[in-house]
Amino acid sequence: MGIIRHRMENDFEDESHFSPISLVRRTHSPDRSQDGSFSEPHQEHGTNFLKSTVFRSCGIVILKAKINLMLPFGPAAILVHKFYGHEGLVFILSLLGIIPLAERLGYATEQLAFFTGATVGGLLNATFGNATELIISIFALKSGMIRVVQQSLLGSILSNMLLVLGCAFFCGGIVFFKKEQSFNKAAAVVNSGLLLMAVMGLLFPAVLHYTHSEAQYGKSELALSRFSSCIMLLAYGCYLVFQLKSHKSLYDPVREGASESEASSLDEEAPDISKWEAISWLAVLTACISVLSEYLVDAIQGASVSWGIPVSFISVILLPIVGNAAEHASAIMFAMKDKLDISLGVAIGSSTQISMFGYIPFCVVVGWILGCPMDLNFQLFETAALFTTVLVVAILLQEGTSNYFKGLMLILCYLIVAASFYVHVDPELGV
């Protein structure tokens, strides 16, 4: 890679090839051939360079990862939908097809993060890692499936905070078995406070509904949800200023006990692809996920009936696991490299972003624009699951250290949540 970049720099720095002055000289040169044979080699060189860059990038992003063996499931889902129409099969094929796309989306985000730094990198991982859930939610919202939107967003928070963070703590603790890994406690406390604020925003509409204490029945709950969503969006905007501008130093990575050679080796890692290649892949992969998400959402009800599985379990557990594949892979990878601050930025930062911006308040505002009455009343069962999850994670983050046992506890908590939703019948969906 270093040789290729060196050659690229030499090519573009060579004035005899690319400067406007040299091109003019060649154009007016008396010994120039009449058929323009001097310009054709340079055009051919540029074309060959572009082709080699595209092939190299495709080889790194598509052929290098073994998980891409699952990519054919995506086209298979489209073909089954068109010629066979079995919704249960379409759902599982779409689900499997989205997994490698979501993982590669996370990979492209990680490559882009090399050019931005740890704090912005964690924010980018959280943002594009949530792109799958956001796309699925928008398609479900357009179809009027409000409960699916609510439950999939809730499930994404639960999955990030318990499963993704738990696996990161567990794998990092196994790799660094003889020591406790450290992370920035102050940043974790700020995120925990934002998550508790999100719980407050979801709790009051549910309490208002179930206590039958609305000033205007059927209107006050929706109005409170929209007002709270605007406040949460404002709070998240202020949080970005706090994180990226006013208190940027608060989010500096913690590397306690790391030697200078270890720290320098971590910093010397180089990206596999360029910044613009990463941006291009983000656009391509997001478009592919959008196509498969539409088939996935349309097949949810049919899959629930054909498999005998509650829609709430599909929405809260299955969809977020697929959507969080990028965060899952990223958080574990960074934890195993002792970059726990980035792992927390991916897992907790992603949960904060979903609850405070992307997408719960955002979907309420989008539903408001589309005339779809989505509110923040996630029902008591779901709100209780979120409250206990935030409480458990906030307590475990207080010390600013992690080990494999803390990770194991979070994973076991997620199994309890998954079992609870498997036996839960949603009163609005009836399944």
Side-chain angles (χ1 to χ4, degrees):
M1 289 298 294
I3 297 173
I4 293 173
R5 289 195 187 93
H6 181 65
R7 288 178 180 172
M8 288 167 58
E9 290 171 0
N10 289 340
D11 287 343
F12 283 101
E13 289 173 1
D14 189 355
E15 181 181 298
S16 65
H17 283 140
F18 290 99
S19 72
I21 298 173
S22 63
L23 289 175
V24 171
R25 286 173 181 168
R26 284 180 188 167
T27 304
H28 297 285
S29 177
D31 59 343
R32 180 181 59 90
S33 63
Q34 297 298 320
D35 57 359
S37 59
F38 276 87
S39 62
E40 287 179 3
H42 296 290
Q43 292 176 357
E44 185 178 351
H45 172 75
T47 304
N48 291 336
F49 175 74
L50 181 61
K51 286 181 180 178
S52 64
T53 302
V54 171
F55 285 133
R56 180 187 60 82
S57 183
C58 290
I60 292 173
V61 176
I62 297 178
L63 301 180
K64 188 177 179 181
K66 294 181 181 179
I67 195 172
N68 287 333
L69 293 172
M70 299 175 67
L71 283 175
F73 286 116
I78 298 173
L79 293 174
V80 169
H81 174 79
K82 187 173 182 179
F83 296 107
Y84 188 49
H86 191 284
E87 290 188 338
L89 192 56
V90 171
F91 179 84
I92 189 64
L93 289 174
S94 301
L95 206 65
L96 294 174
I98 287 177
I99 290 175
L101 294 175
E103 192 277 334
R104 290 290 86 186
L105 189 71
Y107 171 79
T109 308
E110 290 162 19
Q111 295 301 304
L112 186 59
F114 276 105
F115 303 94
T116 60
T119 302
V120 179
L123 185 62
L124 283 172
N125 270 288
T127 301
F128 285 100
N130 290 330
T132 305
E133 292 95 322
L134 179 62
I135 293 167
I136 292 173
S137 298
I138 290 175
F139 278 110
L141 201 59
K142 287 174 65 178
S143 302
M145 303 170 70
I146 296 176
R147 286 297 292 157
V148 171
V149 175
Q150 291 178 329
Q151 290 178 340
S152 64
L153 292 174
L154 173 73
S156 186
I157 298 174
L158 300 178
S159 174
N160 275 305
M161 296 188 70
L162 295 177
L163 185 61
V164 175
L165 186 62
C167 289
F169 280 3
F170 182 78
C171 294
I174 294 297
V175 172
F176 299 93
F177 190 78
K178 295 183 179 180
K179 73 165 190 175
E180 281 197 328
Q181 292 179 284
S182 301
F183 55 85
N184 193 325
K185 182 170 67 173
V189 169
V190 172
N191 280 303
S192 299
L194 283 172
L195 288 168
L196 286 169
M197 180 181 175
V199 171
M200 181 185 294
L202 300 182
L203 182 63
F204 285 118
V207 171
L208 191 68
H209 176 80
Y210 284 100
T211 56
H212 305 287
S213 55
E214 296 178 82
Q216 293 181 321
Y217 185 76
K219 294 183 179 180
S220 299
E221 177 188 333
L222 184 60
L224 176 61
S225 297
R226 289 170 175 172
F227 175 78
S228 299
S229 296
C230 294
I231 295 298
M232 290 160 74
L233 289 172
L234 176 63
Y236 189 75
C238 295
Y239 166 68
L240 290 181
V241 174
F242 179 83
Q243 182 186 27
L244 302 176
K245 293 291 182 182
S246 65
H247 288 68
K248 190 175 180 179
S249 60
L250 189 67
Y251 290 84
D252 289 339
V254 173
R255 285 177 183 168
E256 251 180 48
S259 64
E260 291 183 5
S261 60
E262 288 175 341
S264 61
S265 65
L266 289 173
D267 291 332
E268 286 173 1
E269 294 180 19
D272 296 329
I273 56 178
S274 69
K275 179 173 69 174
W276 290 108
E277 286 177 84
I279 293 172
S280 301
W281 278 112
L282 286 175
V284 170
L285 292 167
T286 301
C288 293
I289 291 172
S290 299
V291 173
L292 280 183
S293 295
E294 187 171 6
Y295 290 95
L296 183 73
V297 169
D298 291 340
I300 287 177
Q301 293 285 355
S304 174
V305 174
S306 60
W307 294 350
I309 297 177
V311 173
S312 58
F313 182 81
I314 293 176
S315 302
V316 177
I317 305 300
L318 296 184
L319 292 182
I321 287 178
V322 172
N324 289 335
E327 289 103 318
H328 213 145
S330 300
I332 291 174
M333 181 192 71
F334 286 124
M336 293 175 70
K337 293 179 179 179
D338 205 18
K339 295 183 177 181
L340 210 58
D341 286 290
I342 300 182
S343 294
L344 257 75
V346 172
I348 302 298
S350 178
S351 300
T352 304
Q353 196 174 63
I354 292 172
S355 58
M356 295 298 295
F357 170 72
Y359 302 122
I360 291 178
F362 180 76
C363 284
V364 171
V365 174
V366 170
W368 190 1
I369 295 171
L370 296 176
C372 186
M374 179 174 171
D375 55 33
L376 295 179
N377 178 14
F378 277 41
Q379 310 298 333
L380 287 179
F381 188 85
E382 287 85 348
T383 306
L386 178 62
F387 176 70
T388 53
T389 295
V390 172
L391 196 61
V392 168
V393 173
I395 291 172
L396 290 181
L397 295 180
Q398 289 297 312
E399 295 179 353
T401 59
S402 74
N403 50 56
Y404 77 92
F405 185 66
K406 286 184 178 180
L408 182 61
M409 281 193 290
L410 292 175
I411 294 171
L412 294 178
C413 287
Y414 187 74
L415 294 178
I416 294 174
V417 171
S420 301
F421 278 97
Y422 188 80
V423 297
H424 172 64
V425 176
D426 191 284
E428 292 189 15
L429 295 174
V431 288

